[in-house]
Amino acid sequence: MITPLFSKLSYYMTLSQDEKQLLEAAGNRSILVEKGDIIINEGERPEHVYLIEKGWACRYKLLENGDNHIMAFLIPGDLCDVHITILKKMDHSIRALTPVTLRKFPADEIRNIMENHPRLARALFWSTLVDEAVLREWLVNMGTRPADARLAHVFCEMLIRTRMAGCAEDDDIEFPLTQAEISESMGLTQVHTNRVLQKLRHDGLVKLEKKRLAILDWDRLKQLSQFDPAYLHCQNVPG
């Protein structure tokens, strides 16, 4: 089922049952990839759009010295990416951070939706615009916020995005990332990341254990990170 995608798109428009069935049928099969597997490699020419049904993945760049930089986290309901089949080759890679179930949408099916089903096309384009807004906010986060506010901002964002996907109803969400993966996304060393996590815990803002993140004081965490969910275009999500 692609329910998380329907939940996410509902923040833009209400899809009809026929539109949901069309989108469901366009994804011809699901596949399971293991933690650490490459879903799409930089330099490849994609033939499918992939939807995350279960699990977490990331967009990343592999540098010549072997370092990774994670540019985005992908969770249930996220597409990677609607317009990916237009590219001659990928300019970044996508990797599974956990075991991931993917729904495959052939390029021809996506082109059919974009050319012949304008409401669905607008909804999918909205999803792409939200992805771009997230990237812009990450650039601001990396460039201007101190380390504790930087990490607090990502925690706030992932809570709201998880709620948009219909995968959380309270302030406790799945958060399966290692400190190394957090470090790769924040531009911090693992030692610095550990210090920041300990500070957020000590201040009573978050609890992070057993691959679960609990927001203990949402208002203070928002204030620390200067988090404004407007860039996620999700005005009806609690928070």
Short mmCIF file of all heavy atoms in Angstrom, two decimals, residues 104-164:
data_model
loop_
_atom_site.label_atom_id
_atom_site.label_comp_id
_atom_site.label_asym_id
_atom_site.label_seq_id
_atom_site.Cartn_x
_atom_site.Cartn_y
_atom_site.Cartn_z
N LYS A 104 8.04 0.61 -7.14
CA LYS A 104 8.66 1.04 -8.40
C LYS A 104 7.60 1.58 -9.36
O LYS A 104 6.62 0.89 -9.66
CB LYS A 104 9.41 -0.12 -9.06
CG LYS A 104 10.54 -0.68 -8.23
CD LYS A 104 11.20 -1.87 -8.91
CE LYS A 104 11.96 -1.44 -10.16
NZ LYS A 104 12.75 -2.58 -10.72
N PHE A 105 7.82 2.79 -9.85
CA PHE A 105 6.95 3.41 -10.84
C PHE A 105 7.74 3.58 -12.14
O PHE A 105 8.66 4.39 -12.20
CB PHE A 105 6.48 4.79 -10.36
CG PHE A 105 5.54 4.76 -9.20
CD1 PHE A 105 6.03 4.64 -7.90
CD2 PHE A 105 4.16 4.86 -9.39
CE1 PHE A 105 5.17 4.61 -6.81
CE2 PHE A 105 3.29 4.83 -8.31
CZ PHE A 105 3.80 4.70 -7.02
N PRO A 106 7.41 2.79 -13.18
CA PRO A 106 8.14 2.93 -14.45
C PRO A 106 8.01 4.34 -15.01
O PRO A 106 7.00 5.02 -14.81
CB PRO A 106 7.46 1.91 -15.36
CG PRO A 106 6.83 0.93 -14.42
CD PRO A 106 6.41 1.72 -13.22
N ALA A 107 9.04 4.76 -15.73
CA ALA A 107 9.06 6.12 -16.28
C ALA A 107 7.84 6.39 -17.16
O ALA A 107 7.26 7.49 -17.12
CB ALA A 107 10.34 6.32 -17.09
N ASP A 108 7.41 5.41 -17.95
CA ASP A 108 6.26 5.62 -18.84
C ASP A 108 4.98 5.89 -18.04
O ASP A 108 4.13 6.68 -18.47
CB ASP A 108 6.05 4.40 -19.74
CG ASP A 108 7.11 4.29 -20.82
OD1 ASP A 108 7.83 5.29 -21.06
OD2 ASP A 108 7.23 3.20 -21.43
N GLU A 109 4.83 5.23 -16.89
CA GLU A 109 3.65 5.45 -16.06
C GLU A 109 3.65 6.86 -15.48
O GLU A 109 2.61 7.53 -15.42
CB GLU A 109 3.59 4.41 -14.94
CG GLU A 109 3.41 2.98 -15.41
CD GLU A 109 2.02 2.75 -16.01
OE1 GLU A 109 1.12 3.57 -15.80
OE2 GLU A 109 1.85 1.72 -16.71
N ILE A 110 4.81 7.33 -15.05
CA ILE A 110 4.90 8.69 -14.52
C ILE A 110 4.63 9.71 -15.62
O ILE A 110 3.91 10.70 -15.41
CB ILE A 110 6.29 8.92 -13.90
CG1 ILE A 110 6.47 8.04 -12.66
CG2 ILE A 110 6.49 10.39 -13.54
CD1 ILE A 110 5.50 8.33 -11.53
N ARG A 111 5.17 9.46 -16.82
CA ARG A 111 4.90 10.38 -17.94
C ARG A 111 3.42 10.41 -18.28
O ARG A 111 2.85 11.48 -18.58
CB ARG A 111 5.73 9.98 -19.16
CG ARG A 111 7.17 10.46 -19.10
CD ARG A 111 7.88 10.30 -20.43
NE ARG A 111 8.21 8.91 -20.69
CZ ARG A 111 9.38 8.35 -20.34
NH1 ARG A 111 10.29 9.06 -19.70
NH2 ARG A 111 9.64 7.09 -20.63
N ASN A 112 2.75 9.26 -18.23
CA ASN A 112 1.32 9.20 -18.49
C ASN A 112 0.55 10.04 -17.48
O ASN A 112 -0.37 10.80 -17.84
CB ASN A 112 0.83 7.75 -18.45
CG ASN A 112 -0.67 7.65 -18.55
OD1 ASN A 112 -1.29 8.13 -19.50
ND2 ASN A 112 -1.30 7.03 -17.55
N ILE A 113 0.92 9.93 -16.21
CA ILE A 113 0.25 10.73 -15.18
C ILE A 113 0.49 12.21 -15.43
O ILE A 113 -0.45 13.03 -15.37
CB ILE A 113 0.75 10.32 -13.79
CG1 ILE A 113 0.21 8.94 -13.42
CG2 ILE A 113 0.34 11.35 -12.73
CD1 ILE A 113 0.79 8.37 -12.14
N MET A 114 1.71 12.59 -15.70
CA MET A 114 2.04 14.00 -15.88
C MET A 114 1.35 14.61 -17.09
O MET A 114 0.97 15.78 -17.10
CB MET A 114 3.56 14.17 -16.01
CG MET A 114 4.32 13.88 -14.73
SD MET A 114 3.79 14.96 -13.38
CE MET A 114 4.86 14.42 -12.07
N GLU A 115 1.17 13.81 -18.16
CA GLU A 115 0.62 14.34 -19.40
C GLU A 115 -0.91 14.25 -19.47
O GLU A 115 -1.55 15.07 -20.15
CB GLU A 115 1.23 13.58 -20.59
CG GLU A 115 2.73 13.85 -20.76
CD GLU A 115 3.36 12.92 -21.80
OE1 GLU A 115 2.60 12.14 -22.44
OE2 GLU A 115 4.60 12.98 -21.96
N ASN A 116 -1.51 13.28 -18.76
CA ASN A 116 -2.94 13.02 -18.95
C ASN A 116 -3.80 13.15 -17.70
O ASN A 116 -5.03 13.06 -17.80
CB ASN A 116 -3.12 11.61 -19.53
CG ASN A 116 -2.44 11.43 -20.87
OD1 ASN A 116 -2.67 12.21 -21.79
ND2 ASN A 116 -1.57 10.44 -20.97
N HIS A 117 -3.18 13.39 -16.56
CA HIS A 117 -3.95 13.49 -15.32
C HIS A 117 -3.47 14.71 -14.54
O HIS A 117 -2.65 14.60 -13.61
CB HIS A 117 -3.79 12.20 -14.50
CG HIS A 117 -4.24 10.97 -15.22
ND1 HIS A 117 -5.56 10.57 -15.26
CD2 HIS A 117 -3.54 10.08 -15.98
CE1 HIS A 117 -5.65 9.46 -15.99
NE2 HIS A 117 -4.44 9.15 -16.43
N PRO A 118 -3.96 15.89 -14.92
CA PRO A 118 -3.40 17.14 -14.38
C PRO A 118 -3.52 17.29 -12.87
O PRO A 118 -2.62 17.86 -12.25
CB PRO A 118 -4.19 18.23 -15.11
CG PRO A 118 -5.40 17.56 -15.67
CD PRO A 118 -5.01 16.15 -15.93
N ARG A 119 -4.58 16.78 -12.26
CA ARG A 119 -4.70 16.92 -10.81
C ARG A 119 -3.62 16.10 -10.09
O ARG A 119 -2.96 16.58 -9.17
CB ARG A 119 -6.09 16.50 -10.34
CG ARG A 119 -7.14 17.60 -10.43
CD ARG A 119 -8.53 17.08 -10.03
NE ARG A 119 -8.53 16.23 -8.85
CZ ARG A 119 -8.61 16.70 -7.58
NH1 ARG A 119 -8.68 18.00 -7.37
NH2 ARG A 119 -8.62 15.85 -6.57
N LEU A 120 -3.43 14.87 -10.54
CA LEU A 120 -2.37 14.05 -9.97
C LEU A 120 -1.00 14.65 -10.25
O LEU A 120 -0.11 14.63 -9.39
CB LEU A 120 -2.43 12.63 -10.54
CG LEU A 120 -3.31 11.61 -9.82
CD1 LEU A 120 -3.25 10.28 -10.53
CD2 LEU A 120 -2.90 11.46 -8.36
N ALA A 121 -0.82 15.19 -11.45
CA ALA A 121 0.45 15.81 -11.80
C ALA A 121 0.75 16.97 -10.86
O ALA A 121 1.88 17.13 -10.39
CB ALA A 121 0.43 16.28 -13.25
N ARG A 122 -0.27 17.80 -10.58
CA ARG A 122 -0.06 18.92 -9.67
C ARG A 122 0.29 18.44 -8.27
O ARG A 122 1.15 19.01 -7.59
CB ARG A 122 -1.30 19.81 -9.62
CG ARG A 122 -1.49 20.67 -10.87
CD ARG A 122 -2.47 21.80 -10.62
NE ARG A 122 -3.78 21.35 -10.23
CZ ARG A 122 -4.76 21.03 -11.09
NH1 ARG A 122 -4.54 21.12 -12.39
NH2 ARG A 122 -5.93 20.64 -10.64
N ALA A 123 -0.39 17.38 -7.81
CA ALA A 123 -0.11 16.85 -6.48
C ALA A 123 1.33 16.33 -6.37
O ALA A 123 2.03 16.59 -5.39
CB ALA A 123 -1.10 15.74 -6.14
N LEU A 124 1.78 15.61 -7.40
CA LEU A 124 3.15 15.09 -7.38
C LEU A 124 4.17 16.22 -7.51
O LEU A 124 5.24 16.17 -6.90
CB LEU A 124 3.34 14.07 -8.51
CG LEU A 124 2.52 12.78 -8.36
CD1 LEU A 124 2.74 11.87 -9.56
CD2 LEU A 124 2.86 12.05 -7.07
N PHE A 125 3.83 17.24 -8.30
CA PHE A 125 4.73 18.38 -8.42
C PHE A 125 4.82 19.13 -7.10
O PHE A 125 5.89 19.60 -6.70
CB PHE A 125 4.25 19.31 -9.54
CG PHE A 125 5.21 20.43 -9.85
CD1 PHE A 125 6.53 20.15 -10.15
CD2 PHE A 125 4.79 21.74 -9.85
CE1 PHE A 125 7.42 21.18 -10.43
CE2 PHE A 125 5.67 22.77 -10.13
CZ PHE A 125 6.99 22.49 -10.42
N TRP A 126 3.69 19.23 -6.37
CA TRP A 126 3.70 19.83 -5.03
C TRP A 126 4.68 19.08 -4.13
O TRP A 126 5.45 19.70 -3.39
CB TRP A 126 2.29 19.80 -4.44
CG TRP A 126 2.23 20.18 -2.99
CD1 TRP A 126 2.13 21.45 -2.47
CD2 TRP A 126 2.28 19.30 -1.86
NE1 TRP A 126 2.11 21.40 -1.10
CE2 TRP A 126 2.20 20.09 -0.69
CE3 TRP A 126 2.38 17.91 -1.72
CZ2 TRP A 126 2.22 19.55 0.59
CZ3 TRP A 126 2.40 17.37 -0.44
CH2 TRP A 126 2.32 18.18 0.69
N SER A 127 4.66 17.75 -4.19
CA SER A 127 5.57 16.95 -3.38
C SER A 127 7.02 17.29 -3.70
O SER A 127 7.86 17.40 -2.80
CB SER A 127 5.30 15.46 -3.62
OG SER A 127 6.21 14.66 -2.90
N THR A 128 7.32 17.48 -4.99
CA THR A 128 8.67 17.85 -5.40
C THR A 128 9.05 19.22 -4.87
O THR A 128 10.18 19.44 -4.41
CB THR A 128 8.78 17.82 -6.93
OG1 THR A 128 8.56 16.49 -7.40
CG2 THR A 128 10.16 18.27 -7.39
N LEU A 129 8.11 20.16 -4.91
CA LEU A 129 8.39 21.51 -4.40
C LEU A 129 8.67 21.49 -2.90
O LEU A 129 9.52 22.24 -2.41
CB LEU A 129 7.22 22.44 -4.72
CG LEU A 129 6.98 22.74 -6.20
CD1 LEU A 129 5.73 23.60 -6.38
CD2 LEU A 129 8.19 23.45 -6.81
N VAL A 130 7.96 20.64 -2.17
CA VAL A 130 8.23 20.50 -0.74
C VAL A 130 9.64 19.95 -0.52
O VAL A 130 10.38 20.42 0.36
CB VAL A 130 7.17 19.61 -0.05
CG1 VAL A 130 7.58 19.31 1.40
CG2 VAL A 130 5.81 20.28 -0.08
N ASP A 131 10.04 18.96 -1.32
CA ASP A 131 11.40 18.43 -1.22
C ASP A 131 12.44 19.53 -1.43
O ASP A 131 13.45 19.60 -0.72
CB ASP A 131 11.63 17.32 -2.25
CG ASP A 131 10.85 16.05 -1.94
OD1 ASP A 131 10.37 15.90 -0.81
OD2 ASP A 131 10.72 15.22 -2.86
N GLU A 132 12.19 20.39 -2.41
CA GLU A 132 13.12 21.48 -2.69
C GLU A 132 13.14 22.49 -1.54
O GLU A 132 14.20 23.03 -1.19
CB GLU A 132 12.74 22.16 -4.00
CG GLU A 132 12.94 21.28 -5.22
CD GLU A 132 12.47 21.94 -6.51
OE1 GLU A 132 11.91 23.06 -6.43
OE2 GLU A 132 12.66 21.33 -7.58
N ALA A 133 11.98 22.73 -0.94
CA ALA A 133 11.92 23.64 0.21
C ALA A 133 12.71 23.07 1.39
O ALA A 133 13.38 23.82 2.12
CB ALA A 133 10.46 23.88 0.61
N VAL A 134 12.63 21.75 1.58
CA VAL A 134 13.40 21.11 2.65
C VAL A 134 14.89 21.30 2.40
O VAL A 134 15.65 21.63 3.33
CB VAL A 134 13.05 19.61 2.74
CG1 VAL A 134 14.05 18.89 3.65
CG2 VAL A 134 11.63 19.43 3.27
N LEU A 135 15.33 21.13 1.15
CA LEU A 135 16.74 21.31 0.83
C LEU A 135 17.19 22.74 1.13
O LEU A 135 18.26 22.97 1.70
CB LEU A 135 17.00 20.98 -0.64
CG LEU A 135 18.43 21.21 -1.14
CD1 LEU A 135 19.43 20.39 -0.33
CD2 LEU A 135 18.53 20.87 -2.62
N ARG A 136 16.36 23.74 0.78
CA ARG A 136 16.71 25.13 1.07
C ARG A 136 16.85 25.35 2.57
O ARG A 136 17.76 26.04 3.03
CB ARG A 136 15.66 26.07 0.47
CG ARG A 136 15.70 26.17 -1.05
CD ARG A 136 14.84 27.30 -1.56
NE ARG A 136 13.43 27.07 -1.33
CZ ARG A 136 12.62 26.44 -2.20
NH1 ARG A 136 13.13 25.95 -3.32
NH2 ARG A 136 11.34 26.29 -1.95
N GLU A 137 15.93 24.77 3.34
CA GLU A 137 15.98 24.95 4.78
C GLU A 137 17.21 24.28 5.38
O GLU A 137 17.82 24.79 6.32
CB GLU A 137 14.71 24.40 5.43
CG GLU A 137 14.49 24.84 6.86
CD GLU A 137 14.21 26.33 7.01
OE1 GLU A 137 13.76 26.95 6.03
OE2 GLU A 137 14.44 26.86 8.12
N TRP A 138 17.60 23.12 4.82
CA TRP A 138 18.82 22.46 5.28
C TRP A 138 20.05 23.33 5.00
O TRP A 138 20.98 23.36 5.80
CB TRP A 138 18.97 21.10 4.60
CG TRP A 138 18.25 19.99 5.31
CD1 TRP A 138 16.99 20.02 5.82
CD2 TRP A 138 18.76 18.69 5.60
NE1 TRP A 138 16.67 18.82 6.39
CE2 TRP A 138 17.74 17.97 6.28
CE3 TRP A 138 19.96 18.04 5.34
CZ2 TRP A 138 17.89 16.66 6.70
CZ3 TRP A 138 20.12 16.73 5.76
CH2 TRP A 138 19.10 16.05 6.43
N LEU A 139 20.06 24.03 3.87
CA LEU A 139 21.18 24.93 3.57
C LEU A 139 21.28 26.04 4.60
O LEU A 139 22.37 26.38 5.07
CB LEU A 139 21.03 25.52 2.17
CG LEU A 139 21.21 24.55 1.00
CD1 LEU A 139 20.85 25.23 -0.33
CD2 LEU A 139 22.64 24.03 0.94
N VAL A 140 20.12 26.61 4.96
CA VAL A 140 20.10 27.64 6.00
C VAL A 140 20.56 27.04 7.33
O VAL A 140 21.34 27.65 8.07
CB VAL A 140 18.69 28.24 6.14
CG1 VAL A 140 18.61 29.18 7.34
CG2 VAL A 140 18.29 28.97 4.86
N ASN A 141 20.06 25.86 7.64
CA ASN A 141 20.40 25.19 8.89
C ASN A 141 21.91 24.99 9.02
O ASN A 141 22.52 25.30 10.05
CB ASN A 141 19.68 23.84 8.95
CG ASN A 141 19.46 23.34 10.37
OD1 ASN A 141 19.33 24.12 11.31
ND2 ASN A 141 19.41 22.03 10.53
N MET A 142 22.52 24.47 7.94
CA MET A 142 23.95 24.19 7.96
C MET A 142 24.78 25.48 8.02
O MET A 142 25.83 25.53 8.63
CB MET A 142 24.33 23.41 6.70
CG MET A 142 23.82 21.98 6.68
SD MET A 142 24.86 20.88 7.65
CE MET A 142 26.35 20.87 6.66
N GLY A 143 24.28 26.53 7.36
CA GLY A 143 25.08 27.73 7.20
C GLY A 143 24.97 28.74 8.32
O GLY A 143 25.88 29.57 8.49
N THR A 144 23.90 28.69 9.11
CA THR A 144 23.67 29.78 10.06
C THR A 144 23.42 29.36 11.49
O THR A 144 23.57 30.17 12.40
CB THR A 144 22.47 30.64 9.61
OG1 THR A 144 21.27 29.84 9.64
CG2 THR A 144 22.66 31.18 8.20
N ARG A 145 23.00 28.12 11.74
CA ARG A 145 22.61 27.75 13.10
C ARG A 145 23.75 27.03 13.82
O ARG A 145 24.48 26.24 13.21
CB ARG A 145 21.37 26.84 13.08
CG ARG A 145 20.13 27.56 12.57
CD ARG A 145 18.86 26.71 12.71
NE ARG A 145 17.70 27.45 12.26
CZ ARG A 145 17.11 27.30 11.08
NH1 ARG A 145 17.56 26.40 10.22
NH2 ARG A 145 16.06 28.04 10.75
N PRO A 146 23.90 27.30 15.13
CA PRO A 146 24.89 26.53 15.91
C PRO A 146 24.48 25.07 15.98
O PRO A 146 23.35 24.70 15.66
CB PRO A 146 24.85 27.21 17.29
CG PRO A 146 23.50 27.85 17.36
CD PRO A 146 23.16 28.26 15.96
N ALA A 147 25.39 24.23 16.43
CA ALA A 147 25.19 22.78 16.34
C ALA A 147 23.95 22.31 17.08
O ALA A 147 23.21 21.46 16.57
CB ALA A 147 26.43 22.06 16.87
N ASP A 148 23.69 22.84 18.29
CA ASP A 148 22.53 22.34 19.03
C ASP A 148 21.23 22.73 18.34
O ASP A 148 20.30 21.92 18.23
CB ASP A 148 22.55 22.82 20.48
CG ASP A 148 22.62 24.32 20.62
OD1 ASP A 148 22.87 25.03 19.62
OD2 ASP A 148 22.43 24.82 21.76
N ALA A 149 21.15 23.96 17.83
CA ALA A 149 19.96 24.40 17.11
C ALA A 149 19.82 23.65 15.79
O ALA A 149 18.71 23.34 15.35
CB ALA A 149 20.02 25.91 16.86
N ARG A 150 20.95 23.34 15.16
CA ARG A 150 20.94 22.62 13.89
C ARG A 150 20.30 21.24 14.04
O ARG A 150 19.41 20.85 13.27
CB ARG A 150 22.39 22.47 13.41
CG ARG A 150 22.56 22.08 11.96
CD ARG A 150 24.04 21.93 11.62
NE ARG A 150 24.81 23.15 11.90
CZ ARG A 150 26.12 23.26 11.73
NH1 ARG A 150 26.82 22.21 11.31
NH2 ARG A 150 26.74 24.39 12.00
N LEU A 151 20.72 20.51 15.06
CA LEU A 151 20.18 19.18 15.28
C LEU A 151 18.74 19.25 15.77
O LEU A 151 17.89 18.45 15.35
CB LEU A 151 21.05 18.42 16.28
CG LEU A 151 20.70 16.96 16.53
CD1 LEU A 151 20.63 16.18 15.22
CD2 LEU A 151 21.71 16.32 17.47
N ALA A 152 18.44 20.22 16.63
CA ALA A 152 17.07 20.39 17.11
C ALA A 152 16.12 20.66 15.95
O ALA A 152 14.98 20.18 15.92
CB ALA A 152 17.01 21.53 18.13
N HIS A 153 16.58 21.42 14.96
CA HIS A 153 15.75 21.74 13.80
C HIS A 153 15.41 20.48 13.01
O HIS A 153 14.26 20.29 12.58
CB HIS A 153 16.46 22.75 12.92
CG HIS A 153 15.58 23.41 11.91
ND1 HIS A 153 15.23 22.81 10.72
CD2 HIS A 153 14.94 24.62 11.92
CE1 HIS A 153 14.44 23.63 10.02
NE2 HIS A 153 14.24 24.72 10.73
N VAL A 154 16.39 19.62 12.82
CA VAL A 154 16.14 18.36 12.10
C VAL A 154 15.17 17.49 12.88
O VAL A 154 14.27 16.86 12.29
CB VAL A 154 17.46 17.62 11.82
CG1 VAL A 154 17.19 16.22 11.29
CG2 VAL A 154 18.31 18.40 10.82
N PHE A 155 15.29 17.44 14.19
CA PHE A 155 14.34 16.67 15.00
C PHE A 155 12.92 17.21 14.80
O PHE A 155 11.98 16.43 14.64
CB PHE A 155 14.72 16.75 16.48
CG PHE A 155 15.92 15.94 16.86
CD1 PHE A 155 16.59 16.20 18.05
CD2 PHE A 155 16.38 14.90 16.06
CE1 PHE A 155 17.69 15.44 18.43
CE2 PHE A 155 17.48 14.15 16.42
CZ PHE A 155 18.14 14.42 17.62
N CYS A 156 12.77 18.53 14.83
CA CYS A 156 11.44 19.13 14.62
C CYS A 156 10.90 18.78 13.24
O CYS A 156 9.73 18.39 13.10
CB CYS A 156 11.52 20.65 14.78
SG CYS A 156 11.81 21.25 16.46
N GLU A 157 11.74 18.90 12.24
CA GLU A 157 11.31 18.62 10.87
C GLU A 157 10.87 17.17 10.71
O GLU A 157 9.80 16.89 10.13
CB GLU A 157 12.44 18.91 9.88
CG GLU A 157 12.07 18.56 8.44
CD GLU A 157 13.24 18.69 7.48
OE1 GLU A 157 13.76 19.81 7.34
OE2 GLU A 157 13.65 17.67 6.90
N MET A 158 11.65 16.24 11.24
CA MET A 158 11.31 14.84 11.04
C MET A 158 10.03 14.46 11.77
O MET A 158 9.27 13.60 11.30
CB MET A 158 12.47 13.94 11.48
CG MET A 158 13.77 14.15 10.70
SD MET A 158 13.58 14.24 8.89
CE MET A 158 12.87 12.63 8.53
N LEU A 159 9.75 15.10 12.89
CA LEU A 159 8.48 14.85 13.58
C LEU A 159 7.31 15.28 12.70
O LEU A 159 6.35 14.52 12.51
CB LEU A 159 8.43 15.60 14.91
CG LEU A 159 7.09 15.53 15.65
CD1 LEU A 159 6.75 14.10 16.03
CD2 LEU A 159 7.10 16.44 16.88
N ILE A 160 7.39 16.48 12.13
CA ILE A 160 6.28 16.98 11.30
C ILE A 160 6.15 16.14 10.03
O ILE A 160 5.04 15.77 9.62
CB ILE A 160 6.49 18.46 10.94
CG1 ILE A 160 6.50 19.31 12.21
CG2 ILE A 160 5.39 18.95 10.00
CD1 ILE A 160 5.22 19.26 13.01
N ARG A 161 7.26 15.81 9.39
CA ARG A 161 7.18 15.01 8.16
C ARG A 161 6.62 13.63 8.44
O ARG A 161 5.86 13.08 7.61
CB ARG A 161 8.56 14.91 7.52
CG ARG A 161 9.03 16.21 6.85
CD ARG A 161 10.45 16.11 6.32
NE ARG A 161 10.61 14.99 5.40
CZ ARG A 161 11.79 14.51 5.01
NH1 ARG A 161 12.91 15.04 5.48
NH2 ARG A 161 11.85 13.51 4.17
N THR A 162 6.97 13.05 9.58
CA THR A 162 6.43 11.73 9.94
C THR A 162 4.93 11.83 10.17
O THR A 162 4.17 10.94 9.77
CB THR A 162 7.14 11.19 11.19
OG1 THR A 162 8.54 11.09 10.92
CG2 THR A 162 6.62 9.82 11.56
N ARG A 163 4.48 12.91 10.79
CA ARG A 163 3.04 13.11 10.97
C ARG A 163 2.34 13.29 9.63
O ARG A 163 1.25 12.76 9.42
CB ARG A 163 2.79 14.34 11.85
CG ARG A 163 3.09 14.13 13.33
CD ARG A 163 2.92 15.42 14.09
NE ARG A 163 3.02 15.25 15.53
CZ ARG A 163 3.04 16.25 16.39
NH1 ARG A 163 2.98 17.50 15.95
NH2 ARG A 163 3.12 16.02 17.69
N MET A 164 2.95 14.03 8.70
CA MET A 164 2.34 14.21 7.38
C MET A 164 2.15 12.87 6.67
O MET A 164 1.18 12.69 5.93
CB MET A 164 3.22 15.14 6.53
CG MET A 164 3.23 16.58 6.96
SD MET A 164 4.38 17.60 5.98
CE MET A 164 3.53 17.62 4.39
#
